[in-house]
Structures are given as C-alpha cells and as structure tokens.
Amino acid sequence: MTVVDCSSGRLKPGEVDLGTTIMAVQFADGVIIGADSRTTTGSYIANRVTDKLTPVHDLIYCCRSGSAADTQAVADIVHYHLQLTTMSEGQPPRVHTAASLFQQLCYGNKDQLQAGIIVAGWDKYDGPSVYAVPLGGSLHKQPFSIGGSGSTYIYGYCDAAYKDNMSREEAIDFTKNAIALAMSRDGSSGGVIRLAVITKDGVERIFVPGNKLPTFWEG
C-alpha cells in the first residue's frame, strides 16, 4: 500500500495504493492464498501486519492490489451480492460467480478504478479454482496467480517451481517461498506472511512471522 504521485496515475490526492505481493495456488484438494503484510505511505511503513486476505464468502477469498479504497469498496459490493445469491438460491455461490462479479465491476468502472484482484476458493461444482482480474477488468482462470508490485520479481521462480496437483504441504511451501522472495526484493512488500488454506472442509489460516520466513541468498 503506497501513496503515489497522483498527477501521473489514476489515484486521487491522499489515496493509498497497495504496493504488495499477493498470490493464489490451486492444489489437489483446495487452494492456498497468501500475501505479505506491509502498508506504506511513501517511504513510511504505516502498518507492518496488515491482513490483505479478504473473505467474500465462506469458502471464497480475494487478494487485493491497486488502490486500497477502490479494492475494499469492490470487495464489499461482491460480498453483498454473494450473500443475496446464497439466500435466493439456497446454496453457496460458485467461485466463478464471485470472479465474474469482480470482473464486471472492474471492467465497467475501469476508467475510475485502480484494482487488481485475485479470487480463489472451493465450490461443489468446480472444486478448487483460481481467477485473476488484473487492471482493466479482464478475467483469467489459472492454476496459480501472482500480483502486486512484488510479483515482478518472482515470475521466473513460479514458472520453474510450480507443478500440477501439488500436495497441501507442497503448495504451502511454494507460496511461502515465492512471497518471501518477493518481500526480499520489493521495497513495498514486507512484514509477515499470511496464508489461508481453503478446502471443502473450511478455511485454515496460517501466520508466518518475520523470524520464521524462508531465507535465501541475499548477497
């Protein structure tokens, strides 16, 4: 979350930008979502333990990058519509439904919003699934997705280390390592790692403190 020069971008004066690292990975029985926890305003770290994993339904979460205000507002609207869908249909919504709502809101308001979203979760129709809604409002179903300012540092690692049908432990390690690598390089990412393991049985939250982060060569 970084305050940027409003004259050169879409942010309004005083608006906070999510300089961050977000990630979601599909594995055999569910999905892992994760993010760092640093919120910055310029070079000042305003919050070092932010929770950037946002639930929009019981088994559907989103990770947000872009304008904090924009993405919080969009997530609240999607949460509201998913609650209405659950009541009207008498059953939990599909992950694709949630992703499509994000896509419609982001695309329909693309000239007013700065929002990059990753949506992930589990439903009884499609099982585990991950969707990316990048800036501009397109929609992409992917086995894993990364986003935020820190993601530019880890595309190579993710391409090399990802494999289909990982176990729960392999997916957790993959996500932790990728986010830790991004945090070590990106000045707008840092703090701790927060993960959520989403399966048909529920959501398990995992907290990785700063002194337990995976370590790599740092020169």
Side-chain angles (χ1 to χ4, degrees):
M1 301 176 181
T2 309
V3 172
V4 300
D5 181 0
C6 301
S7 63
S8 60
R10 300 185 184 186
L11 295 184
K12 295 174 282 293
E15 196 169 16
V16 176
D17 182 44
L18 284 160
T20 186
T21 301
I22 56 176
M23 184 172 185
V25 182
Q26 181 178 321
F27 69 99
D29 300 316
V31 295
I32 310 286
I33 64 168
D36 74 304
S37 66
R38 176 172 292 177
T39 299
T40 58
T41 55
S43 59
Y44 177 75
I45 299 175
N47 189 343
R48 60 191 177 90
V49 287
T50 312
D51 187 356
K52 301 178 182 178
L53 310 182
T54 305
V56 292
H57 205 267
D58 295 345
L59 298 179
I60 306 173
Y61 273 63
C62 75
C63 299
R64 302 173 292 110
S65 65
S67 162
D70 290 350
T71 55
Q72 286 172 4
V74 171
D76 286 344
I77 294 169
V78 171
H79 178 266
Y80 168 76
H81 281 290
L82 293 181
Q83 297 300 319
L84 288 181
T85 299
T86 301
M87 288 188 292
S88 64
E89 297 185 1
Q91 59 185 359
R94 297 173 59 187
V95 180
H96 183 264
T97 301
S100 296
L101 284 169
F102 274 108
Q103 187 268 332
Q104 290 171 20
L105 288 165
C106 291
Y107 181 77
N109 301 278
K110 62 183 177 182
D111 293 329
Q112 287 77 41
L113 296 178
Q114 186 180 17
I117 308 287
I118 296 174
V119 186
W122 188 95
D123 64 68
K124 66 180 182 180
Y125 299 102
D126 304 313
S129 51
V130 173
Y131 293 87
V133 184
L135 290 172
S138 55
L139 180 62
H140 311 272
K141 188 176 190 298
Q142 301 173 316
F144 74 90
S145 182
I146 56 178
S149 58
S151 66
T152 57
Y153 299 94
I154 57 173
Y155 275 97
Y157 169 79
C158 291
D159 288 343
Y162 175 79
K163 59 182 181 181
D164 291 327
N165 296 316
M166 286 187 286
S167 67
R168 178 182 181 277
E169 290 72 25
E170 288 174 330
I172 290 174
D173 287 342
F174 172 60
T175 306
K176 281 198 301 186
N177 288 340
I179 295 174
L181 282 165
M183 289 165 62
S184 70
R185 295 284 184 180
D186 177 36
S188 295
S189 300
V192 303
I193 294 176
R194 298 184 187 276
L195 304 173
V197 184
I198 307 172
T199 66
K200 65 180 180 180
D201 299 318
V203 180
E204 177 189 354
R205 296 294 296 259
I206 299 173
F207 176 80
V208 185
N211 62 346
K212 300 292 185 182
L213 294 174
T215 55
F216 305 91
W217 182 82
E218 295 182 353

